[in-house]
Amino acid sequence: MTAAVHPAAPHALPSFITAPGDTDTLTVVAAVVLIGAVLGVGLLFLRLHTLPERMAHKSHKLQFEIVAVLGLLALFTSIHLFWVAGLLLALIDLPDISGTFGRMANALETIAGKAPDDSEELAAPPAKAEVAGPPKAPPESPPRAAAGMAEEKGHA
């Protein structure tokens, strides 16, 4: 059975109007374009969102981990101030304070005459002092040994 065109419809129909039961190509093309646009905009957003982290990683910044955490906070909380703070931290070069203090400590150890690699354990308990009577007097030399030394001097 053929479907007759309604008498009120124009006789020359546009190409995007399909017959009942046929595949609507305009809807299929629109769906493919929409999916592609959503994926493209999502990838663009992700690239823009990870820009501070990639900048900090490329220039080997000390604050890379802080920038990464700020990026994740901005992603999951939708607070854009975190992203701006991460971008500013990625652009600023913070000085290496720990390295400077380490070099100063090594120089002071060298001046003090201590080898820089010798590290004392701070957690070790101090040695316990013996709590006994009065301090002992230094041992005296035996009288025979002193007499023998005097005889040797006389024979020489």
Side-chain angles (χ1 to χ4, degrees):
M1 182 159 63
T2 61
V5 179
H6 192 273
H11 294 290
L13 294 176
S15 62
F16 60 84
I17 295 180
T18 59
D22 287 344
T23 302
D24 191 1
T25 55
L26 180 64
T27 305
V28 171
V29 170
V32 169
V33 168
L34 181 67
I35 290 172
V38 167
L39 287 177
V41 168
L43 287 175
L44 179 69
F45 175 74
L46 188 62
R47 293 282 293 178
L48 181 66
H49 184 75
T50 60
L51 178 69
E53 187 176 350
R54 287 184 285 123
M55 287 172 58
H57 185 265
K58 190 182 297 184
S59 59
H60 303 288
K61 302 276 183 177
L62 293 174
Q63 65 270 24
F64 170 71
E65 289 87 6
I66 298 171
V67 172
V69 168
L70 285 172
L72 286 174
L73 283 173
L75 180 66
F76 291 125
T77 62
S78 297
I79 298 175
H80 304 298
L81 187 62
F82 290 135
W83 186 85
V84 173
L87 182 64
L88 290 176
L89 269 177
L91 291 173
I92 294 172
D93 193 17
L94 294 179
D96 183 13
I97 296 173
S98 64
T100 304
F101 285 143
R103 287 192 305 271
M104 287 175 16
N106 287 340
L108 288 173
E109 287 176 347
T110 304
I111 291 170
K114 182 178 174 186
D117 294 333
D118 295 343
S119 60
E120 297 177 2
E121 292 185 25
L122 297 176
K128 292 183 180 179
E130 293 182 24
V131 183
K136 296 181 181 178
E140 296 180 15
S141 59
R144 251 182 16 186
M149 288 176 58
E151 290 176 4
E152 288 179 10
K153 287 184 181 178
H155 290 288

